[in-house]
Structure formats: C-alpha cells, structure tokens
Amino acid sequence: MLSWALVFLVIALIAAALGFGGIAGASAGIAQVLFFIFAALFVISLIARFVRN
C-alpha cells in the first residue's frame, strides 16, 4: 500500500511540474490518504504485536 502512495506522489510531482493543477491536486490527495491508511495500519500492527508478547 505504501508503494501506491509513492506512485501517486510521483504522479503528483510530475503533474505539478508540467502545470496540470487538477491532476496534481487529485494525485496528491490520493497519496496523502493512502499514506495515512498505511500509517494507521502500521500503528495497529505494532500495538497488536506488543499485546501478543
């Protein structure tokens, strides 16, 4: 899932460099959402690991 966030981040950076504002904004938004989902799942997995041990 982190790889998808990085892909959309790269798309957003390329679109921003070329001047496509709408595409850059949408890609950056998707990348941000995917990053926060990944971060939340990471924290949940850390908590679950500490609870098991």
Side-chain angles (χ1 to χ4, degrees):
M1 188 175 298
L2 183 59
S3 62
W4 281 107
L6 293 175
V7 167
F8 280 108
L9 176 65
V10 169
I11 291 171
L13 291 175
I14 292 171
L18 296 176
F20 300 119
I23 296 171
S27 296
I30 293 170
Q32 185 177 14
V33 167
L34 289 174
F35 175 77
F36 284 125
I37 290 171
F38 171 76
L41 290 174
F42 177 69
V43 169
I44 291 169
S45 67
L46 281 178
I47 292 170
R49 187 172 193 199
F50 285 126
V51 169
R52 284 186 188 167
N53 293 335

